[in-house]
Amino acid sequence: GENVEQHPSTLSVQEGDSAVIKCTYSDSASNYFPWYKQELGKGPQLIIDIRSNVGEKKDQRIAVTLNKTAKHFSLHITETQPEDSAVYFCAAGTGGFKTIFGAGTRLFVKA
Amino acid sequence: DVKVTQSSRYLVKRTGEKVFLECVQDMDHENMFWYRQDPGLGLRLIYFSYDVKMKEKGDIPEGYSVSREKKERFSLILESASTNQTSMYLCASRSAGSTYNEQFFGPGTRLTVL
């Protein structure tokens, strides 16, 4: 079945450094790639998304890149801050009701 | 501020009990979803509803059922709880305007089945 693999499972960076989380999807029909951030005790919240007709999207310190040929997409966080510490999920969808989520990456930003 | 609320943050039940998890959204969204979240497995879709009284199976529907009698409320039912249903349950809602629309999640219910 459809699958989204996410790496690494845990990432620890120093405040001010960059963090990169990578995902690979299996369903070539996927055309929508959202990223969610889950803080402790809360539900996931959308932070950025990208559609398959775009290769890169940026929103302040956050950027996502998509390589459709390789079925890879990545989240880049620059100038990390302690409040960026959370669990991040990548996901892939085909525009329908089912979105396949990655296993999550726990990001620690050390002050 | 948009809101999805879930009836309980923590729930402890015994094997064989019938369990109801309630979710309410105040955004007039047509679509609602139930996921379970397990370490190393991410979020997996149990059931979804695209409109009132409509429901569809997700990827892991076995052992669960759902009810959507009103637009704002989506209930997840464990007919006979088992220990392998111990998990975090997340409800989400989404506007039907576009299937690329953001899903809004509730805070989750951590269910323990003893």
Side-chain angles (χ1 to χ4, degrees):
Chain A
E2 296 87 352
N3 186 47
V4 173
E5 291 191 5
Q6 182 172 349
H7 299 281
S9 57
T10 306
L11 180 59
S12 186
V13 301
Q14 205 67 38
E15 182 178 2
D17 287 351
S18 294
V20 180
I21 302 170
K22 297 183 179 183
C23 291
T24 304
Y25 62 97
S26 61
D27 187 354
S28 55
S30 297
N31 55 9
Y32 174 60
F33 306 91
W35 286 87
Y36 285 83
K37 176 184 181 182
Q38 185 177 27
E39 297 176 336
L40 201 60
K42 297 184 179 180
Q45 184 173 9
L46 182 73
I47 54 172
I48 195 167
D49 57 17
I50 192 169
R51 298 189 193 178
S52 61
N53 57 348
V54 175
E56 184 172 354
K57 184 176 178 181
K58 204 169 182 180
D59 183 4
Q60 297 180 23
R61 295 186 297 108
I62 293 173
V64 290
T65 58
L66 171 64
N67 182 331
K68 282 174 55 181
T69 304
K71 296 183 190 169
H72 289 171
F73 58 115
S74 301
L75 176 72
H76 304 252
I77 306 173
T78 58
E79 300 171 22
T80 53
Q81 300 165 5
E83 51 265 37
D84 294 329
S85 296
V87 178
Y88 291 82
F89 292 98
C90 62
T94 58
F97 291 96
K98 292 188 181 181
T99 303
I100 307 298
F101 286 82
T105 295
R106 188 173 293 276
L107 174 64
F108 297 96
V109 179
K110 296 176 286 186
Chain B
D1 199 20
V2 298
K3 222 166 181 132
V4 178
T5 56
Q6 296 183 229
S7 50
S8 306
R9 295 302 301 270
Y10 299 93
L11 210 51
V12 179
K13 295 292 181 181
R14 297 216 172 266
T15 302
E17 280 193 79
K18 191 168 186 175
V19 182
F20 293 86
L21 303 183
E22 306 286 344
C23 174
V24 177
Q25 50 96 2
D26 66 359
M27 296 164 280
D28 202 35
H29 284 167
E30 293 79 9
N31 304 158
M32 295 188 74
F33 306 80
W34 275 107
Y35 294 89
R36 63 177 282 175
Q37 180 180 4
D38 299 290
L41 296 177
L43 281 67
R44 291 179 293 165
L45 182 63
I46 304 171
Y47 266 96
F48 64 93
S49 168
Y50 52 89
D51 208 341
V52 178
K53 295 193 186 294
M54 309 306 277
K55 56 189 178 185
E56 293 286 341
K57 292 179 180 179
D59 297 317
I60 51 164
E62 296 79 19
Y64 304 94
S65 62
V66 290
S67 173
R68 182 114 182 256
E69 295 298 315
K70 292 186 177 182
K71 191 175 187 180
E72 67 271 18
R73 189 178 298 269
F74 191 34
S75 303
L76 180 69
I77 303 155
L78 287 66
E79 294 290 342
S80 177
S82 64
T83 54
N84 62 12
Q85 293 178 309
T86 291
S87 186
M88 171 70 84
Y89 290 88
L90 291 165
C91 173
S93 71
R94 182 184 74 182
S95 169
S98 165
T99 50
Y100 299 111
N101 283 348
E102 173 181 359
Q103 290 190 42
F104 292 89
F105 285 86
T109 295
R110 185 166 294 281
L111 172 67
T112 302
V113 182
L114 302 174

